[in-house]
Each structure stands twice: as C-alpha cells, then as structure tokens.
Amino acid sequence: MLTSADELASVVALSAEERAGLDASAKLFRIGLTPYYASLMDPQHASCPIRMQAIPRAAEANIRDEELRDPLGEDTHNPAPSVIHKYPDRCLFLVVDRCGIYCRHCNRRRLVGGDEPPTTADLEAGLEYIAKTKRIRDVLMSGGDPLLLSTRRLDYLLGRLRAIPHVETIRIGTRLPVVCPMRIDGELCAALAKHHPLFINTHFNHAVELTPEARAGCERLVDAGVPVGNQTVLLRGINSSVRSLRALMRALLRVRVKPYYLFQGDTVLGTDHLRTPVEDAMRLYEGLRGWMTGMAVPMLVADAPGGGGKVPLVPSYIDSLDETTVVLRTYRGDRIAYPQPRERDCSVPYDEIYFANEPADDDREGSR
Ligand code: SF4
C-alpha cells in the first residue's frame, strides 16, 4: 500500500491542495491505496478521478455543523458485535476493518482503517445473532473489504452463513475488483461458487477504473456464476457529469456488471466538497433514464441521515394524475396521456391458494 505523501509524490506531481490535505491527513482519515490503483493516477492533473478519490484535499478538514460521524445511524442498529441490522429482512456483517483504498468519501470512516479489527469472538457473536434472528433472509458481508481476508477464511465464514437455513442470499461488498483486480483469481472464484446464491456489489466510480485488469476480474466473477452489481457514489467534480456517468454505466454493462445504485453523497465528516446538490443529481439521472438502456441506469438514492434507510430520488415523470388519465412526461420532455384502466380492484385471488401454507413475513419466528 502507498500510505504517505512521499510515496505518493514518487508517482504524481502533488498539487499544493493535495499537499495541504496530506499534511492534515493524520487528523482526518487514514490514507492508503494499492500500487495498482496508484498506477492509474494521472501524474500531471490533480483533477484525475483516481487522485481525487485517494488523496485528501485541504477541504476535508473543514467540518460542517451538519456533518456526522455516523451518517447512516449504524451505531444505534448494532445488536451484536460485527452486525448492523437496520432493515427488516437483511443485515450487514462487518468481517474486517481494512480496505484496499481509503476512499475520501467513505461513509464508514469511523470504523475502517483503525487498529481494532473484529475479533474471532466478535464474528462468532455476529453469526450467533444472525442464526437466531429468523427474519434475516439476506446478509451483506462488508467491512472494510471482505476480499482482504484470506480465501480460506472467507470460505469458512461464507460456509457458516450458508449453514444457517433462513439465510437465503449472501452478498459481499468489495472495492477490490476496482483497486486490486488480481485478487479475483481462480481460487477465490472457486471458493465463492460454493456458496450460491451469492452476489457481489462492487464500487466503480469512473470509467477510467475499468482497465483491462479490472474488466477481466469482473468477468472472472461473472463466469463463476456470481452476479456482480455496482454501487457508484456521485462525487462532485469526479463523476458529476452526464458524459462521465454514461461512459461508466456503459463500460460496466459491457463486462456484465449491472449498475445498481447511484448514491447521493452521505453527510459524513469532511466530505462537503465532494457532495452534489440533489437537484443536480436528479438532472444527471434524467440524462441517463431513457437515453440509454434501462439495464444501464442505476437507482439514484440518498441514505437518509440517522438511519432512515435509502430513499429513491426520482424526478417526477408524472405531470398530472386522476382516476381516468395520467399525463406522462417522457425522457424527451413530451407530454403523453396514459388512460387508466376502468376496473380498479388490484387484489390477487390466487395469493390465498399459492401462499396458503406460508406465514406472512412478519410472522416468521424471531421476527420481533
Ligand atoms: S473501500 Fe468502502 S469501506 Fe473502504 S474506504 Fe472505500 S468506501 Fe470506505
């Protein structure tokens, strides 16, 4: 890992702003990136998307009143060590506190890059909580970056989760396909393929990150039967243009990675300079929707501060609505009337037959 101003200066001509950010960094958030990711930096231009994600700016030290240490309210949804359980049927399982890059926009900066990795006892307590909480259908293994665990350790933890009967799907959140694609080797793919249905959510923010190595890494995962989705963070001055977002989404689809979320920046400490006004975010979204295949269009969401969860930020495509007619606004701005159906009863009689022996979601044992 490159972790100091001197190491970075050996790769790029640091700007005054970057030097100021690096000088202040000890009080901000750990610095670190893989040599591979550093090799993608534009040595001359400080506006390079890789540099702006990896090297702090002086603005990171300007903490605003509205910024939060824990913007998603995770610390109040922490029923067991290493588990964050905020939504009804799914939880986070934080298995490691290290990353392959310390992203300057990270919303979990309070937890990652420190010196207190989850202990074996923490992970056991987390597994115990998941095993006894039967409403959990989906576990998102995160951290830190779970793919930094040895393949053997990861395989073991996935096996423990897979052995819990009510855990239907497992997801892994990782930036290693972006910052260390060589980690996605045959041994790892074979280990992951043992635990289907297993999904990977990765985190590309700019088309420049989709190098031949990164594309090959993603394709190795998909070839192993692992569906890969991408979560992009909308970052002002890094990817906050229609051109940049379209190029990224198209590049992802070409390697069979599905754009999943486009996140409005969270209100985490020291990131005001990276956040995009919501009205601009929605304008950018309108530059995607309809102009490219729906497969390439992620859902634009904001994570509500304090633990409210993800809220879709959807520009209105409805001009007016009544019981007879909806006036739709198309992606080109045309107004077209859509006639409502005359019958309005939406009940599904066959539900009573098909789900006759299945308890309602909230009736699962342990759901309260
Ligand atoms: S890889 Fe993820 S958890 Fe790690 S610093 Fe980046 S955004 Fe945060």
Side-chain angles (χ1 to χ4, degrees):
M1 294 277 279
L2 282 72
T3 58
S4 69
D6 286 348
E7 286 171 328
L8 286 163
S10 70
V11 186
V12 298
L14 290 171
S15 70
E17 223 194 321
E18 287 172 325
R19 285 201 176 275
L22 288 162
D23 284 345
S25 66
K27 295 194 283 300
L28 304 174
F29 174 44
R30 184 187 180 123
I31 296 165
L33 66 159
T34 60
Y36 161 80
Y37 198 59
S39 76
L40 307 184
M41 294 195 295
D42 183 324
Q44 298 305 326
H45 299 106
S47 61
C48 159
I50 309 288
R51 286 171 68 163
M52 289 185 70
Q53 290 182 70
I55 304 177
R57 304 298 159 106
E60 210 174 305
N62 299 334
I63 308 298
R64 315 282 176 183
D65 290 346
E66 63 276 19
E67 291 177 340
L68 302 167
R69 183 174 169 275
D70 174 23
L72 309 187
E74 294 180 330
D75 293 347
T76 53
H77 295 84
N78 186 208
S82 75
V83 170
I84 293 169
H85 191 182
K86 221 164 59 168
Y87 297 98
D89 68 343
R90 53 207 184 276
C91 72
L92 277 166
F93 185 31
L94 304 179
V95 295
V96 64
D97 72 342
R98 295 296 162 105
C99 299
I101 175 182
Y102 294 97
C103 312
R104 305 329 296 174
H105 55 275
C106 180
N107 63 17
R108 211 171 278 149
R109 57 171 58 200
R110 73 191 185 287
L111 295 180
V112 301
D115 294 314
E116 292 180 30
T119 62
T120 301
D122 291 340
L123 299 182
E124 285 299 327
L127 287 165
E128 191 183 321
Y129 173 81
I130 294 167
K132 76 177 186 208
T133 309
K134 293 193 173 171
R135 66 179 157 143
I136 296 175
R137 294 171 185 265
D138 174 88
V139 176
L140 173 54
M141 193 184 267
S142 184
D145 201 310
L147 296 195
L148 285 179
L149 296 176
S150 69
T151 299
R152 194 169 157 188
R153 178 87 177 132
L154 188 63
D155 187 21
Y156 170 77
L157 289 172
L158 289 170
R160 292 285 303 274
L161 287 173
R162 188 40 76 219
I164 300 172
H166 55 266
V167 173
E168 296 172 8
T169 49
I170 302 172
R171 293 179 288 160
I172 298 176
T174 174
R175 268 208 106 177
L176 287 203
V178 185
V179 302
C180 188
M182 43 295 291
R183 169 69 180 103
I184 318 298
D185 58 16
E187 187 192 14
L188 175 68
C189 290
L192 296 177
K194 286 161 51 185
H195 304 286
H196 286 311
L198 181 140
F199 299 74
I200 294 255
N201 283 337
T202 188
H203 177 172
F204 286 91
N205 287 331
H206 196 280
V208 74
E209 295 170 332
L210 278 145
T211 62
E213 293 86 353
R215 296 200 303 267
C218 291
E219 298 216 302
R220 282 194 291 276
L221 287 169
V222 181
D223 287 344
V226 180
V228 183
N230 187 69
Q231 308 193 155
T232 296
V233 180
L234 184 57
L235 295 167
R236 198 164 61 82
I238 295 177
N239 59 14
S240 55
S241 70
V242 170
R243 191 175 190 184
S244 169
L245 290 174
R246 285 185 186 175
L248 170 62
M249 305 309 163
R250 288 185 173 129
L252 288 166
L253 264 199
R254 284 198 293 273
V255 290
R256 295 174 282 163
V257 174
K258 171 76 183 83
Y260 176 38
Y261 280 130
L262 175 59
F263 280 108
Q264 179 66 16
D266 295 316
T267 53
V268 68
L269 298 176
T271 57
D272 188 85
H273 61 297
L274 294 173
R275 292 199 295 129
T276 308
V278 170
E279 56 273 37
D280 288 286
M282 292 205 291
R283 177 182 54 75
L284 293 168
Y285 174 85
E286 288 187 89
L288 306 183
R289 169 65 60 200
W291 296 100
M292 52 203 305
T293 167
M295 285 284 291
V297 181
M299 187 183 295
L300 174 65
V301 296
D303 236 314
K310 296 179 189 69
V311 177
L313 302 175
V314 187
S316 180
Y317 289 92
I318 294 180
D319 239 25
S320 64
L321 180 155
D322 63 29
E323 284 200 1
T324 60
T325 309
V326 183
V327 177
L328 304 173
R329 180 176 63 85
T330 71
Y331 71 99
R332 290 183 184 275
D334 300 328
R335 265 61 181 173
I336 298 177
Y338 170 84
Q340 294 266 44
R342 310 235 167 167
E343 300 288 336
R344 304 189 67 80
D345 177 8
C346 294
S347 59
V348 181
Y350 200 66
D351 276 1
E352 300 301 323
I353 300 163
Y354 190 77
F355 299 114
N357 299 317
E358 197 171 302
D361 278 2
D362 283 352
D363 293 343
R364 281 182 142 201
E365 195 186 334
S367 69
R368 290 164 206 277

